[in-house]
Amino acid sequence: MTTIADDDNPSTPAAATILCVDDEPNVLSSLRRLLRGAGYQVQVAESGAAGMLTMQAGAVDVVISDMRMPEMDGGQFLLQVRERWPQTIRFMLTGESDVASVIDAVNQGAISRYITKPWNDDELVQAIGEALQRRSQAQDDSRLAAIALTRAEELKALNASLQQNASANQEELTAANERLKNNFVVSLKVFSILIESRHEILVGHSRRVADQARRLATKLGLEPALVQEVFVAALLHDLGKLAFADELLATPVASMGPRMLAEYRQFAARGEQLLMPLQDLRGAAASIGAQLERFAGSGFPNQLKGRAILVGARILSVCSDFDNLQIGVLAPRKLTAAGARAIIAGS
């Protein structure tokens, strides 16, 4: 097993590091020359085992692996990379005869993208740059979400402190509470914008679902406080998708393989976990966590049945599915509003 470090790389230390894995030296040479010229730091390995050693030795931003290699093929190698270094972007080089292997790798979540041989130099460099940019955006979004959660906790603590301070006059408390309320609304909007920024298909989705959910809750005669709770839950119902990989966000649910589908179904519970520490949002969080439950008991994560499912979760499920059917989240074919209503009415 041979691993070759590209020590004379002229790139700056801030440049992304790319590991190329292939058992053909001429392919590695071509990739190294191309990617060094694009400003990346490049390391190469002539087998999957050697590639694993390189991954263990230091941070790698992108892995480009050939599919057909002896001992450990590209699918097996990239699946191990995904399990041990999930933040590393994974590309597969493959010939046209490897379609079945590629589909299997996609279903297992092993690859971010596949590139057919012979590759186009400009397209490969562009694909790498775009993947790095999307990962950077996702990391920024996650950091902003964490900051927003921290900010909300700080505001709650401030409010509690002011209320416990007997010497604070009523005017000061009123002003502080008004600031708290305004900042809380801003925090909700930040969450919603963060969610929608992850993928173009999500733009406007949370706001549309929130408006529909509020109208439906009002029509059902729910108490105003519960109507507001449902509205907030709808604004934040996709919060658990913030950490999704780009390929998961871009894949319609009906087209997902078993592994991808299992990961997708975790987003509701993940959103609930993120919001539960905020006492004022626990009601909304519970509805978010149960939004994938189904009346017949076939849903997730707890297979709840009938009225055991919170009314807010039932409203959220209907309104979210109604919009998702129209924007292509649930199925590759986008439906009209009438078509979406027919599907929901028949389910």
Side-chain angles (χ1 to χ4, degrees):
M1 298 183 293
T2 305
T3 302
I4 308 167
D6 196 8
D7 294 330
D8 58 344
N9 193 310
S11 303
T12 63
T17 298
I18 300 178
L19 169 62
C20 302
V21 184
D22 200 300
D23 60 331
E24 298 183 31
N26 61 318
V27 172
L28 292 178
S29 178
S30 296
L31 287 171
R32 178 166 53 186
R33 183 169 57 253
L34 169 66
L35 298 175
R36 286 184 62 192
Y40 295 111
Q41 298 186 56
V42 182
Q43 294 183 307
V44 297
E46 295 180 353
S47 70
M52 292 302 294
L53 292 175
T54 303
M55 293 293 300
Q56 294 170 13
V60 174
D61 298 290
V62 181
V63 174
I64 303 175
S65 174
D66 185 31
M67 178 62 205
R68 292 179 178 268
M69 295 187 296
E71 298 180 12
M72 182 191 299
D73 66 29
Q76 295 170 327
F77 168 67
L78 291 174
L79 183 57
Q80 290 191 36
V81 172
R82 173 186 178 272
E83 291 172 349
R84 298 180 62 179
W85 299 279
Q87 296 302 316
T88 298
I89 299 167
R90 303 170 300 281
F91 280 60
M92 178 183 286
L93 290 177
T94 178
E96 293 183 0
S97 62
D98 295 327
V99 174
S101 299
V102 170
I103 292 174
D104 186 55
V106 170
N107 286 339
Q108 294 184 74
I111 63 174
S112 308
R113 180 167 176 174
Y114 69 91
I115 305 292
T116 56
K117 291 182 177 180
W119 65 83
N120 178 286
D121 286 353
D122 292 337
E123 290 180 359
L124 177 57
V125 171
Q126 181 179 355
I128 292 171
E130 290 173 349
L132 286 166
Q133 186 175 12
R134 287 194 299 270
R135 188 185 70 167
S136 177
Q137 180 64 52
Q139 291 171 341
D140 288 344
D141 289 346
S142 296
R143 283 193 293 269
L144 286 172
I147 292 171
L149 280 172
T150 301
R151 181 59 175 160
E153 287 287 4
E154 291 173 350
L155 290 169
K156 284 176 57 184
L158 171 63
N159 186 47
S161 175
L162 287 172
Q163 290 179 344
Q164 292 172 3
N165 187 353
S167 62
N169 59 52
Q170 187 60 42
E171 183 178 343
E172 181 182 356
L173 282 172
T174 300
N177 281 327
E178 189 62 30
R179 289 196 302 272
L180 179 65
K181 185 186 300 183
N182 292 336
N183 283 327
F184 186 70
V185 172
V186 170
S187 296
L188 293 179
K189 291 180 179 179
V190 168
F191 280 135
S192 180
I193 292 170
L194 282 174
I195 296 165
E196 294 183 355
S197 70
R198 282 304 323 279
H199 196 280
E200 59 183 11
I201 200 172
L202 296 177
V203 175
H205 171 68
S206 294
R207 284 166 287 177
R208 290 192 299 271
V209 173
D211 288 339
Q212 291 163 359
R214 178 163 52 186
R215 290 197 298 271
L216 180 54
T218 301
K219 191 169 184 178
L220 290 173
L222 301 187
E223 294 292 329
L226 186 52
V227 172
Q228 182 64 16
E229 183 178 283
V230 170
F231 175 75
V232 171
L235 272 179
L236 305 178
H237 75 282
D238 276 345
L239 182 63
K241 294 181 180 179
L242 271 177
F244 276 3
D246 292 332
E247 63 268 28
L248 183 56
L249 283 173
T251 303
V253 175
S255 302
M256 292 180 180
R259 287 178 178 269
M260 190 176 286
L261 189 59
E263 184 176 355
Y264 174 84
R265 285 170 174 163
Q266 295 175 18
F267 86 87
R270 187 179 299 157
E272 180 181 16
Q273 291 168 1
L274 285 171
L275 294 175
M276 270 300 179
L278 303 177
Q279 186 170 355
D280 293 341
L281 291 181
R282 286 181 179 174
S287 291
I288 290 171
Q291 64 180 296
L292 296 183
E293 301 287 357
R294 293 296 178 259
F295 210 75
S298 58
F300 298 89
N302 298 314
Q303 291 76 53
L304 300 177
K305 290 184 179 181
R307 299 189 181 279
I309 305 171
L310 292 170
V311 65
R314 283 180 267 155
I315 292 172
L316 193 54
S317 175
V318 169
C319 295
S320 179
D321 284 356
F322 178 66
D323 197 69
N324 281 331
L325 285 166
Q326 296 177 72
I327 63 177
V329 169
L330 296 182
R333 182 171 65 90
K334 298 179 182 180
L335 300 182
T336 63
R341 278 193 294 270
I343 292 290
I344 292 172
S347 61

